[in-house]
Amino acid sequence: MADNVAEQLIQQLQDAGVTRIYGIVGDSLNPIVDAVRRTGGSAEGGIDWIHVRNEEAAAFAAASEAQLTGNLAVCAGSCGPGNLHLINGLYDAHRSGAPVLAIASHIPTVEIGSGYFQETHPERLFTECSNYCELVSTPEQSPRVVNSAIRHATGGCGVAVVVLPGDLAADKAAGAAPPFVPARRGRIAPHPVDVEKLAAAIAEAEKITLFVGDGARDAREQVLAFAGHLQAPMGHTLRGKPWIQYDNPFDVGMSGLLGYGATDWAMKEADLLILVGTDFPYAQFFPDGEHVAIAQIDADATRLGRRAAVRHPVHGDVGRTLAALQELLPARTDRTFLDSALARHRRALEDAVAAYTDSDDAPIHPERAMTAIDRAAASAAVFTADTGMGNVWQARYVTPTRDRRLLGSYVHGSMANALPQAIGAQFAHPDRQVIAIAGDGGLSMLLGELITAAAYRLPINVFVFNNSTLGLVKLEMLVNGYPDFGVDVPMVDFAALAGSLGFLAQRVTDPADLDAAITTALAHPGPALVDIVTDPNALSVPGTVTAQQVTGFGLSMAKLVLGAEQTGGLRQVVDTAKSNLKHLRGL
């Protein structure tokens, strides 16, 4: 029997399989922290307290662990500013569907509502980034709230928040906690009428394209079998890449700004586009629903039709739905449309995507660096990438395998996620290679987490793409006709910083030194950082460039040249053109 509410809560987490909590200790959280201490740590079957340097990192790390393992992960913050720091990481966790429970401690119960020191209202603040957020008001209520929070996080695939006043956490426990027995996730059967209608639309269509997302992660074999049955090209989202791209004879790449162009062509040339387990948010990359019929299959009915004009919505498990459709349709043998899309994809890989992967020019092209990392990485490596250009290079140049995993802030789009996600991944899989693709902008935001990695001697590998600019923001400005402004920062020697903390730290400025530095870092048994100084003018050129983007880019270049206030404007135009000239072959 637990002595107090905090101990009871920790016992409930242990019962749910939790082995660590990420956070920073603090006064209102002290009863929880002491209850963790008394478990003896994971070495004795208890829970470890992982001391991070910012609670935002705690939430990112917990979400990373949860996404990789599929199990409940936990983070915590003390009252006021402590748990407010959790919010951004929890938004990312919730929008990614990660089963995370956050403990948000609160001011003393008697002071709530009095404008007390560090007073906030966590039960209101966390509602938008959670499936469940409740304030514990009595010891009798606590075990039921905690049980509900665990159920909501694990069953609802998202965040649950328990708000617990520090004084109440120290009170004597009351009542027994309900046992936690996990339930296996069910599979939703599609309505047969909707399946028959979609099958009829497929039978009528001559050219069919599949666009596949993360919702197909458990249905890879069914998706590939369905594409082969119809001889249909298959594009994928970034979140779908790890599950769909490898060993896929129907793959034509990604769409959007990360894509290579073949998928965009295949979607717009099709008679029928089938969206499979994806909530791809960029409607401008979908074809006109009046000219191309669009179908959508998803286990979440709320996603159907919210991104495009869907004529054939089907609510159901991806695998079961595709299997039911395949039974109703004869196999096709005509590969004309499929082969045309595959040929376009091959040309894009040879031209635009591979343009700088073998370049020995200095400054280092990021494509060259990312290709070298991908080549040296283990087949079961976990990659995390910062939002921005790091995400672009991961998306384009990391080769997926059956066992590799890719993590990023793909839905929330937060900066600074790569390092804390790598920390969570390494704790979850201590014997697995973990690689963080960090931008200099993102790494700077949560730089203190290098201390966390050093303190625990985590063998994470941080590769910093250091171009002293916010590269993706720069590209956004240029294609919209704005001169880049406010994106450049002073050059920072991240290797020197990491080396002072105990990292194996290397700084690379010559592409000839890349392979040796990467190999050395990956072989090191402790934390390693490679600071790669890359070309600040290298841009991520999308596979499909619109006339509007070309006009915007030209306008911004003209402003740089003609603007009297822009020092070195002409030189920047020349440097940008030189850094991206090879990409023009693929456009």
Side-chain angles (χ1 to χ4, degrees), residues 419-445:
L419 176 57
Q421 284 182 330
I423 289 171
Q426 197 71 83
F427 272 115
H429 295 289
D431 298 323
R432 200 166 175 180
Q433 188 181 81
V434 176
I435 296 172
I437 306 302
D440 53 319
L443 183 62
S444 298
M445 292 181 72

Side-chain angles (χ1 to χ4, degrees), residues 56 60 88 92 385-388 409 412-420 439-446 469-470 473:
E56 180 180 355
F60 273 125
N88 188 54
D92 182 79
D386 272 335
T387 298
S409 186
H412 188 49
S414 176
M415 290 179 68
N417 58 283
L419 176 57
D440 53 319
L443 183 62
S444 298
M445 292 181 72
L446 287 174
T469 190
L470 301 178
V473 179

Side-chain angles (χ1 to χ4, degrees), residues 238-291:
L238 176 52
R239 296 185 75 196
K241 174 184 171 85
W243 322 114
I244 293 301
Q245 186 180 345
Y246 71 91
D247 297 335
N248 183 349
F250 312 102
D251 177 58
V252 293
M254 290 175 287
S255 180
L257 293 176
L258 301 176
Y260 319 134
T263 292
D264 294 324
W265 178 85
M267 289 198 293
K268 291 173 183 175
E269 289 294 316
D271 302 314
L272 175 65
L273 169 64
I274 306 177
L275 308 178
V276 182
T278 177
D279 193 33
F280 187 73
Y282 306 108
Q284 65 268 35
F285 292 100
F286 287 132
D288 184 347
E290 293 185 5
H291 297 93

Side-chain angles (χ1 to χ4, degrees), residues 479-511:
V479 299
N480 285 289
Y482 300 109
D484 58 297
F485 177 77
V487 295
D488 297 325
V489 297
M491 175 59 72
V492 175
D493 189 338
F494 290 100
L497 288 170
S500 70
L501 298 173
F503 274 68
L504 170 68
Q506 305 170 83
R507 185 174 174 87
V508 181
T509 59
D510 187 337

Side-chain angles (χ1 to χ4, degrees), residues 70-106:
N71 300 324
L72 181 69
V74 181
C75 56
S78 59
C79 64
N83 58 54
L84 288 182
H85 286 161
L86 293 170
I87 288 180
N88 188 54
L90 290 182
Y91 261 98
D92 182 79
H94 189 54
R95 301 188 72 188
S96 299
V100 171
L101 187 148
I103 302 169
S105 68
H106 204 357

